[in-house]
Amino acid sequence: MGATKADMVIRNAMLIDGSGAAGVAGDLAVTGERITAIGPSLVCGADVEIDAGGKVLAPGFIDAHTHDDRAVLTNRAMACKISQGVTTVVTGNCGISIAPVTIKTRPPGPLDLVCPSPDDFMPSFAAYFAALEKAPPAVNVVAQAGHTSLRVSVMDRFDRAASEGEIEQMKALLRQALKDGAAGLSTGLYYPPANAAPREEIEALAQVVHEEGGFHSTHMRDEADGVAVSLEETFRIGRTAQVPIIISHHKCVGLANHGRSGETLGLIDAARAKQQIGLDVYPYVASSTILNKDRVALSSRTLITWSGKADGLEGRDIEEVAAEMGLSVDATVEAISPAGAIYFLMDEADVKAIMAYPATMIGSDGLPHDRHPHPRLWGTFPRVLGHYARDEKLFPLETAVHKMTGLTARTFGLKDRGVLGEGAFADLVLFDPAAVIDTATFERPETPAAGICQVFVNGRGVWRNGAATDARPGKGLCGERFLTQ
Ligand code: ZN
Ligand code: CU
């Protein structure tokens, strides 16, 4: 490259470009929002010179699965994510999105995990993206519209299929959402407000996604005994509506289903020969969502994350709380609900097999409004890099980075993100490969990871020396569309 002056040059870095290719030593220059040069030793001068000291420079991580819809507006520093090197979050997962929703009462769970009050919602994605533009967060936002959110907006009760008229209303809301810049449609068929929806209801909505462009992600109806049946239902929706599918937080739930990842990944692999399918995973054997009796019964251990009825229960084991209250576990669930919980119900070997599968992206599924959140909120990405790639040698560091950058950008159709390349957006993370590790635990979940040195979003530094800067350069990525793989 020529000798034109850049805004910033990062020198002496190990460049891992997000494609999965081996890292190479070199320099990288940024001007404005974009990467302007990459090379072995750039001659250009710059206003800011950073010596990387041989540390890894990678594309900023894309969190494929989040519930950050409202957090990016209310907690704009987004320290839980930028401290991990995350520069873009995909919101609106599991059927629950902040928009397009107009309601007058507290929403049913799990929608209350994102927006507990009716005032927390946005009537349209146009309003949501306008709010992000007016008061930007530190991270970029890719937003999905949720099926449960659509249901809540047009139906009076949720224990039944939507009528034809209600489906038409949901289709109109979804079409406008996609026109306004929503990236796709998510479902949470496992949860009560959506569980009574037949496959045909989702197919009708997915048809709109096909027409407008976008993808369909799903927290499937069953991730336990019926996981194979649910996978088939998901594939079928994708084929009928001709839309790309993303299987959210893939897992095999409950002792009876431990070891079934070989079977489920085999099904996914066979289906991928015929249609576009992506999936995401978080690197833990415990899940987290609203408190529910059936889930408690399936789990070897359950920790409470919040309760709308009683204070001081956060982080505590439900069996201990039940003993103290002199109640059965079921009665305790009833007494303290609405509430949230962490459930230990996956098998480590399954988690590893799913993570190592080539099409699997990393997504935190973190719950940013929980009082005592699952450590995945603060720990996911450094845990994959430090624990699973470096210490457990599950895959090379370049593969780990690919699963949080290039693969994710390709799966979601994000242009000029997730790669180190001239002309790409300067979403960057500088980390120490020897030191990077999660420090968030189930006991102390809100602790920033180690080894993440500097993070840049659209060319501006958002994390430095273990703290957030004042910069809020994130954008709503509302012009993005799914690319064919
Ligand atoms: Zn989910
Ligand atoms: Cu989720």
Side-chain angles (χ1 to χ4, degrees), residues 154-218:
V154 311
M155 294 174 73
D156 55 348
R157 45 187 288 198
F158 313 113
D159 58 347
R160 59 172 177 85
S163 69
E164 251 173 65
E166 287 161 345
I167 289 178
E168 286 311 313
Q169 287 181 59
M170 290 196 283
K171 282 169 69 175
L173 281 172
L174 176 59
R175 194 177 302 281
Q176 191 57 49
L178 295 166
K179 285 191 192 298
D180 288 347
L185 168 74
S186 77
T187 58
L189 298 180
Y190 162 74
Y191 293 107
N195 193 251
R199 194 189 72 241
E200 292 77 6
E201 182 177 319
I202 314 305
E203 285 173 348
L205 294 169
Q207 181 62 37
V208 177
V209 175
H210 171 70
E211 289 160 17
E212 298 295 330
F215 54 85
H216 167 49
S217 74
T218 179

Side-chain angles (χ1 to χ4, degrees), residues 65-67 93-94 96 191 219 248-249 288 365-367 376:
H65 188 114
T66 84
H67 295 285
N93 280 286
C94 302
I96 53 176
Y191 293 107
H219 177 158
S248 293
H249 45 55
S288 184
D365 202 7
L367 297 171
R376 66 195 183 184

Side-chain angles (χ1 to χ4, degrees), residues 91 101 103 106 150 169 188 191-192 224 230 238 248 250 262 264 270-271 273 305 307 322 333 384 410 445 472:
T91 66
V101 178
I103 50 166
R106 183 186 170 100
L150 298 174
Q169 287 181 59
Y191 293 107
S230 281
S248 293
H250 184 44
T264 61
T305 54
S307 164
V333 169
V384 172
R410 191 178 72 204
R472 304 284 184 267

